[in-house]
């Protein structure tokens, strides 16, 4: 599963660069992170009558002292929701996790979000202007607003054509950045950049590679979103032969997109087996640092027949070019964000890495180190695990 990139290539990417070609180089390495421990949530755990699974993000609520986890359930197993939990993290790792409640997301009017098959018909009874707000959801990242206590969460949107190919059953929904109250009731949708609207494939986001990352800055005055992979017009998705460019968008306190930056996604860590089988690598979570303009990105890669790899990178938007008005990144000629590797989860002693999707800050240790908490999405499969991984970083 492990692959290594030559030190010469890694060093070449350590400095901020003006992109001369279609694909980014690999990032510089850091070896300062260490594993504290792991915790596996029981597969059959039920909370408030819902199965705890599909956890695709984690965040610390500094107002209440507990953690929040969003499930990427499309309302197939239970209505779309997030969880609150007490997580005991020490220098020995994750000692205990107690889920204290499920918060069901509510649409305007109080109804829960429908499954995609229910929505195929319901959409035709819904005014077109309300469909994006009322439609089926695929939650991916949730963050607690440090100023209001509300929760901001991402919905990946849809470009879904039914098996019979019918236009009536086709679902087309824009990716969304949504605000809900702590209890899950709808507040509002935030505006998104024009290039992040869903189309039938000629431009805009790729299906299932839209808003995976979301983070409030430490002061709560900016909300930053990340696409998992490149826009259709930005070039092919990352594979074992080359990386790709995703986009990071900065929103002001009111939610308006004010800047956008190119983020260099790493090449896939290995060729899938067989070579043309399914594979992916992209941003699955975004986390703001205490320093303005600095962030962490979790890149999650999967190669069929090989496995999963999680890598956490630190990056800065300082000095990067604003590409919000640039239609395509395919031809280069812009300055991307600077990044370096903080931790490769395969290199810190983990016996097994599952489908890691979320990262959050945890407590500061007596050593002065900070804790990074990583969560994996078990896809509601008994063959996978919901892992909580505690990592100490400087």
């Amino acid at each position: 599963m492990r692959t290594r990139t030559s030190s010469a290539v890694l060093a070449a990417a350590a400095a901020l660069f003006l992109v001369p070609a279609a694909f980014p180089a690999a990032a510089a390495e850091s070896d300062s992170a260490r594993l504290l421990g792991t915790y596996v949530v029981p597969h059959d755990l039920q909370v408030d009558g819902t199965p705890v699974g599909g956890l695709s993000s984690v965040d610390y609520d500094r107002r209440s002292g507990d953690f929040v986890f969003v499930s990427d359930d499309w309302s197939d197993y239970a209505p779309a929701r997030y969880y609150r939990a007490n997580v005991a993290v020490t220098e020995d790792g994750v000692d205990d996790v107690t889920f204290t409640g499920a918060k069901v997301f509510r649409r305007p009017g109080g109804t829960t979000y429908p499954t995609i098959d229910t929505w195929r018909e319901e959409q035709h009874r819904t005014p077109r202007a309300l469909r994006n707000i009322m439609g089926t959801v695929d939650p991916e990242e949730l963050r607690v607003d440090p100023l209001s206590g509300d929760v901001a969460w991402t919905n990946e949107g849809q470009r879904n054509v039914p098996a019979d190919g019918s236009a009536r059953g086709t679902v087309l929904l824009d990716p969304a950045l949504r605000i809900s109250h702590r209890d899950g009731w709808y507040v509002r949708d935030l505006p998104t950049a024009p290039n992040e609207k869903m189309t039938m494939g000629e431009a805009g986001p790729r299906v299932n590679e839209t808003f995976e990352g979301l983070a409030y800055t430490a002061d709560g005055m900016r909300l930053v979103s990340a696409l998992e992979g490149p826009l259709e017009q930005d070039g092919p998705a990352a594979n074992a032969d080359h990386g790709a460019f995703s986009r990071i968008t900065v929103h002001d306190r009111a939610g308006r997109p004010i800047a956008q930056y190119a983020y260099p996604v790493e090449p896939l860590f290995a060729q899938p087996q067989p070579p043309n089988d399914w594979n992916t690598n992209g941003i699955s979570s975004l986390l703001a640092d205490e320093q303005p303009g600095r962030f962490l990105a979790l890149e999650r890669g999967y190669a069929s027949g090989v496995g999963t790899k999680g890598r956490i990178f630190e990056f800065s938007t300082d000095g990067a070019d604003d590409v919000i008005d640039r239609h395509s990144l395919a031809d280069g000629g812009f300055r991307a964000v600077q990044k370096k590797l903080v931790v490769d989860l395969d290199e810190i002693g983990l016996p097994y890495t599952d489908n890691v999707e979320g990262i959050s800050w945890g407590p500061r240790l007596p050593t002065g180190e900070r804790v990074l908490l990583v969560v994996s999405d078990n896809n509601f499969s008994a063959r996978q695990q919901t892992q909580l991984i505690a990592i100490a970083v400087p």
Side-chain angles (χ1 to χ4, degrees), residues 52-76:
V52 177
L55 302 187
S56 61
S57 81
V58 56
D59 195 33
Y60 177 67
D61 185 347
R62 66 192 192 197
R63 298 164 66 96
S64 63
D66 60 358
F67 285 82
V68 293
F69 299 84
V70 78
S71 173
D72 66 2
D73 188 354
W74 296 15
S75 294
D76 291 325

Side-chain angles (χ1 to χ4, degrees), residues 7 12 16 48 91 100 206 312:
S7 58
L16 196 64
D48 292 342
E91 55 267 35
T100 57
R206 285 173 159 82
I312 300 174

Side-chain angles (χ1 to χ4, degrees), residues 18-30:
L18 183 66
V19 181
F23 302 113
E29 265 189 282
S30 169

Side-chain angles (χ1 to χ4, degrees), residues 277-363:
D277 212 341
W278 189 73
N279 63 93
T280 183
N281 191 61
I283 299 173
S284 65
S285 186
L286 189 67
L287 183 63
D289 191 70
E290 296 171 349
Q291 294 181 308
R294 302 195 73 84
F295 302 89
L296 296 182
L298 170 62
E299 293 188 28
R300 182 271 324 276
Y302 175 78
S304 183
V306 181
T308 303
K309 178 182 281 288
R311 291 174 284 191
I312 300 174
F313 295 88
E314 179 185 86
F315 72 91
S316 173
T317 58
D318 292 344
D321 292 336
D322 185 350
V323 297
I324 198 166
D325 294 324
R326 181 184 281 260
H327 174 70
S328 173
L329 303 180
D331 296 329
F334 54 87
R335 195 173 296 270
V337 302
Q338 179 183 4
K339 61 183 278 194
K340 71 175 182 179
L341 182 64
V342 174
V343 58
D344 181 331
L345 298 183
D346 286 344
E347 304 293 340
I348 57 173
L350 275 172
Y352 170 71
T353 302
D354 213 307
N355 178 32
V356 288
E357 288 215 1
I359 53 175
S360 172
W361 292 118

Side-chain angles (χ1 to χ4, degrees), residues 129-248:
L130 296 178
R131 289 181 185 177
N132 221 63
I133 294 173
M134 302 295 287
T136 187
V137 293
D138 176 11
E140 290 296 343
E141 183 108 280
L142 180 144
R143 298 294 180 192
V144 179
D145 184 333
L147 302 185
S148 72
D150 289 338
V151 295
W153 52 286
T154 68
N155 170 27
E156 278 219 273
Q158 292 286 349
R159 182 169 68 239
N160 188 289
V161 180
D164 63 7
S166 70
R168 180 175 178 81
T170 295
V171 173
L172 188 69
L173 294 170
D174 290 333
L177 304 177
R178 189 154 294 170
I179 305 295
S180 296
H181 287 308
R182 176 190 170 98
D183 60 7
W185 282 72
Y186 178 86
V187 176
R188 64 187 178 112
D189 275 17
L190 303 180
T192 57
N195 55 21
E196 294 171 335
K197 308 298 184 185
M198 190 65 79
T199 72
M200 288 305 293
E202 62 273 16
R206 285 173 159 82
V207 173
N208 205 34
E209 293 191 33
T210 71
F211 292 138
E212 283 271 345
L214 191 67
Y216 278 102
T217 53
D219 62 4
M221 297 307 294
R222 295 286 186 268
L223 185 63
V224 185
S225 61
L227 297 174
E228 180 177 3
L231 299 175
E232 296 280 4
Q233 65 268 32
D234 286 344
N239 61 26
D241 297 321
H242 57 73
F245 284 108
S246 180
R247 298 198 188 212
I248 306 288

Side-chain angles (χ1 to χ4, degrees), residues 362-394:
R364 191 173 288 276
L365 299 176
T367 61
E369 297 166 297
R370 293 180 295 175
V371 171
L372 271 176
L373 197 63
V374 183
V375 67
S376 69
D377 174 355
N378 70 349
N379 293 310
F380 293 95
S381 170
R383 294 175 294 180
Q384 294 182 253
Q385 294 182 347
T386 299
Q387 296 173 295
L388 292 179
I389 305 164
I391 303 167
V393 296

